[in-house]
Amino acid sequence: MAFIRRVRTASGATAVQVAEYTSGRRQRIIAHIGSAHTDAELGILLARARELVEDRDQGQLDLGLEPVQPRTALIGVPAAPTDTLFETTPTTASPAGPVSPGRVTGTSSRLLFGSLATVYDSLGFTTAVADDVFRDLVIARLVEPTSLADTGRVLTEMGREPASYSTLRRTLGRAVSAADGYRDRIAEACFTHATTSGDVSLCLYDVTTLYFEAEKEDQLRKVGYSKERRVDPQIVVGLLVDRNGFPLEIGCFEGNKAEKHTVVPIVRQFQARHRLESFVIVADAGMLSAENLTALDDADLRFIVGSRVTKAPIDLESHFHWHGEIFTDGQVIDTVTPKRGANLDNSPSVRAEPVWDPGTHPGSWRAVWAYSTKRCLRDNRTLNVQETRAREVIAGEKTDRAPRFVKNSKAGKPLDEAALARARRLAGLKGYVTNLPVDMMGAGEVIGSYHDLWHVEQSFRMSKTDLAARPMFARTRDAIEAHLTIVFTALAVARTAQDRTGESIRAIVRRLRVLRSATITINGAEQTFDPHIPADEQALLAAMRG
């Protein structure tokens, strides 16, 4: 008859075997089930062994009782295992006696939390902010953005014991306190990471708006121009990133503040924090103002900003005079643009375009204009739609408050033929204004640097969608700043994870969240077992570790 026996191995583990007696009362091993290092592992092995030796043909009486097995102890004291994904806390053995069969008492996405925590730590955030609660808030924002009251549920699903609601609120308070603000330290860590893994000689800047589920305005939350075309109170958020989209600085302004008035404060704050003398700022045409460019130039900062196409007739007057309206695909014209109004730095009487020099042209900036056939086709399609809408409004077929190319006059609302012809004349052109001399950066590099702005736009999309930065429900400025600190930190982790894996943070969470660890109570002991990790997910985890 088969029976179960326990044998101590050379390593100190407890081996479970199924054996039987031979005719000479010698024991013959039928099957080696495995070796256990913990009470829980021993319980699992014993359960497997009992399935092998029990007589399945023998009936059982259903008495409505919970089946129990006697507690079985390990033989010897084995060394702690070292091949698990996470550290396990040894449990204290319960007194000997009957215990229930093994039960799964819980599952969690510990693997997901651990992988994101690894990225968080690799950025130096754990050293900069020695606050596990803050780290948990950041990771919860990455996995499932939700309210502060519901954050505990998200953390519990990842195997974390969440802090109380009052502790979470106190953590947010510490994040924005004047004496111990976390954002300054997180920004320092981000700067260190950016300079270690690349450089910050060129930074990208853009703004967005975050709206509130609120009816009334206050000193910060105001109704203004909304990128989502909403009429709710909002704030304006400025974000400075490196050339790859990694966040470096963030700031918020009143909801009715113009975009062009945000770039200088953010850049000066970044420059003062890290004691930088000079670097290049790239921004879109919304930041183009004489005051902005002069302020950046006075601070010894270089800039590349988009130029409005309405400035093309002045900048390209010489080209139109000598070459007409003919452009070739990919043609680049390196010239100058007046800082204010018009000047004679680019005289149409001279055929050659002037080479910008700050000493020679104190009243102008350098301007680079490029023509693209693809852009021309796109611009003309847009103009066709706008012309059709304007004609429909003039004919009374549609109503529109202020359609383009419709003139308001006493005689009625005729089509502005001159404005339409002027717009078609400039279709396909894109301009860039800079204070970088030609010998410092060529025209092609100026254009390429500006086109990197999609990185900061992508970061804004991530913060709005994946991190659910809006709508915002906070009311006070401190609460709003704390929310932005969490989002800023989460964005840094998300961008790093995305760059290392080539996948979006949403895809990473979706793939790893389903790999759930199981907590099992068996043989009077409780232990958590890691999930099986498919090869693709193993590669993903390896990439996240860097």
Side-chain angles (χ1 to χ4, degrees):
M1 180 177 178
F3 62 94
I4 302 170
R5 73 172 191 171
R6 292 171 297 146
V7 180
R8 182 176 181 178
T9 66
S11 64
T14 301
V16 177
Q17 301 171 341
V18 176
E20 66 176 0
Y21 285 105
T22 62
S23 57
R25 298 301 295 173
R26 296 172 61 89
Q27 295 181 6
R28 183 174 67 88
I29 298 174
I30 300 176
H32 177 77
I33 307 302
S35 299
H37 296 83
T38 65
D39 289 336
E41 292 176 353
L42 178 61
I44 293 173
L45 296 178
L46 290 173
R48 293 176 184 170
R50 290 187 187 101
E51 291 179 355
L52 292 177
V53 301
E54 68 181 0
D55 186 356
R56 299 187 180 277
D57 295 331
Q58 181 176 349
Q60 297 182 356
L61 296 176
D62 186 5
L63 302 178
L65 300 176
E66 176 76 11
V68 296
Q69 298 290 349
R71 171 64 181 272
T72 304
L74 290 165
I75 301 177
V77 182
T82 59
D83 57 347
T84 57
L85 287 173
F86 305 102
E87 293 182 359
T88 56
T89 302
T91 57
T92 303
S94 58
V99 295
S100 300
R103 293 287 184 269
V104 176
T105 56
T107 62
S108 61
S109 301
R110 297 172 66 218
L111 186 64
L112 172 61
F113 182 92
S115 61
L116 292 175
T118 299
V119 178
Y120 179 96
D121 184 65
S122 70
L123 294 174
F125 294 160
T126 302
T127 304
V129 180
D131 189 334
D132 289 346
V133 178
F134 178 79
R135 179 203 58 194
D136 290 356
L137 285 170
V138 171
I139 294 178
R141 171 67 49 179
L142 287 163
V143 172
E144 185 181 336
T146 185
S147 66
L148 190 65
D150 194 38
T151 299
R153 173 188 60 81
V154 180
L155 292 172
T156 300
E157 288 185 1
M158 291 188 288
R160 296 289 299 171
E161 183 176 349
S164 65
Y165 180 74
S166 59
T167 300
L168 296 178
R169 289 185 62 87
R170 286 195 297 271
T171 301
L172 292 180
R174 289 195 299 273
V176 295
S177 68
D180 192 35
Y182 288 173
R183 188 187 297 179
D184 292 341
R185 286 188 268 167
I186 292 294
E188 289 283 357
C190 286
F191 180 79
T192 300
H193 173 78
T195 53
T196 301
S197 59
D199 68 87
V200 293
S201 60
L202 185 144
C203 298
L204 316 174
Y205 179 79
D206 202 0
V207 301
T208 192
T209 54
L210 301 179
Y211 68 88
F212 293 78
E213 296 289 353
E215 297 180 358
K216 297 182 179 180
E217 296 179 303
D218 54 33
Q219 292 184 348
L220 178 63
R221 302 178 298 171
K222 295 181 179 294
V223 176
Y225 173 74
S226 171
K227 293 184 179 293
E228 288 92 15
R229 302 185 183 277
R230 302 181 67 93
V231 294
D232 306 279
Q234 65 179 22
I235 60 172
V236 176
V237 177
L239 181 66
L240 189 71
V241 305
D242 69 6
R243 66 177 72 226
N244 297 313
F246 185 77
L248 298 171
E249 197 80 30
I250 193 171
C252 71
F253 304 88
E254 295 81 3
N256 60 355
K257 198 175 190 69
E259 292 183 4
K260 62 184 180 180
H261 294 152
T262 65
V263 58
V264 173
I266 291 290
V267 170
R268 284 179 173 168
Q269 176 179 301
F270 177 73
Q271 188 179 23
R273 183 196 304 279
H274 305 296
R275 298 172 294 281
L276 297 175
E277 294 184 358
S278 182
F279 56 96
V280 180
I281 301 296
V282 182
D284 66 13
M287 311 302 156
L288 182 63
S289 72
E291 294 80 9
N292 274 352
L293 302 188
T294 301
L296 293 175
D297 190 63
D298 290 343
D300 196 28
L301 294 173
R302 306 297 184 177
F303 59 78
I304 301 172
V305 297
S307 180
R308 297 183 180 90
V309 72
T310 53
K311 298 193 68 176
I314 297 175
D315 298 355
L316 300 177
E317 184 178 4
S318 176
H319 176 88
F320 287 135
H321 176 77
W322 292 99
H323 305 285
E325 301 176 9
I326 300 174
F327 295 92
T328 58
D329 186 33
Q331 183 174 355
V332 175
I333 301 172
D334 204 331
T335 183
V336 298
T337 183
K339 293 181 179 180
R340 296 178 183 272
N343 56 41
L344 296 179
D345 285 347
N346 189 3
S347 173
S349 62
V350 180
R351 183 165 188 156
E353 297 290 343
V355 178
W356 180 78
D357 179 82
T360 309
H361 308 103
S364 299
W365 301 117
R366 181 186 175 193
V368 177
W369 287 88
Y371 178 85
S372 166
T373 302
K374 184 177 180 180
R375 184 186 296 112
C376 182
L377 295 174
R378 184 175 65 248
D379 290 347
N380 274 310
R381 284 196 298 268
T382 302
L383 291 172
N384 291 338
V385 172
Q386 292 173 337
E387 180 184 1
T388 300
R389 184 183 296 117
R391 292 186 182 279
E392 290 173 343
V393 170
I394 293 172
E397 299 174 4
K398 286 189 176 181
T399 58
D400 199 325
R401 289 186 300 174
R404 191 181 181 188
F405 305 129
V406 174
K407 294 191 295 185
N408 290 316
S409 65
K410 295 181 180 179
K413 293 185 175 181
L415 183 69
D416 193 341
E417 300 278 2
L420 179 60
R422 191 162 52 246
R424 291 196 184 280
R425 179 190 183 197
L426 303 177
L429 288 171
K430 176 64 180 176
Y432 314 87
V433 178
T434 181
N435 63 346
L436 287 161
V438 178
D439 57 355
M440 184 176 294
M441 182 177 289
E445 192 175 355
V446 169
I447 297 172
S449 298
Y450 182 86
H451 288 174
D452 282 339
L453 274 176
W454 70 270
H455 285 297
V456 68
E457 294 168 356
Q458 183 188 53
S459 292
F460 270 134
R461 285 195 298 272
M462 290 172 63
S463 66
K464 287 184 174 182
T465 56
D466 299 329
L467 307 181
R470 52 109 172 114
M472 294 180 67
F473 299 93
R475 297 189 302 276
T476 65
R477 178 156 198 143
D478 282 351
I480 293 169
E481 294 282 7
H483 174 78
L484 290 179
T485 300
I486 294 292
V487 171
F488 178 75
T489 311
L491 179 60
V493 176
R495 291 291 318 202
T496 304
Q498 175 177 292
D499 292 342
R500 290 178 180 178
T501 63
E503 298 199 27
S504 68
I505 188 64
R506 183 177 298 181
I508 293 171
V509 171
R510 184 177 62 249
R511 289 178 58 181
L512 297 183
R513 199 172 189 179
V514 297
L515 301 178
R516 301 182 69 84
S517 303
T519 300
I520 299 175
T521 301
I522 191 170
N523 194 35
E526 183 179 275
Q527 186 167 331
T528 300
F529 294 89
D530 300 320
H532 167 70
I533 306 175
D536 289 346
E537 279 62 40
Q538 289 183 18
L540 179 66
L541 291 170
M544 289 185 69
R545 289 192 292 269

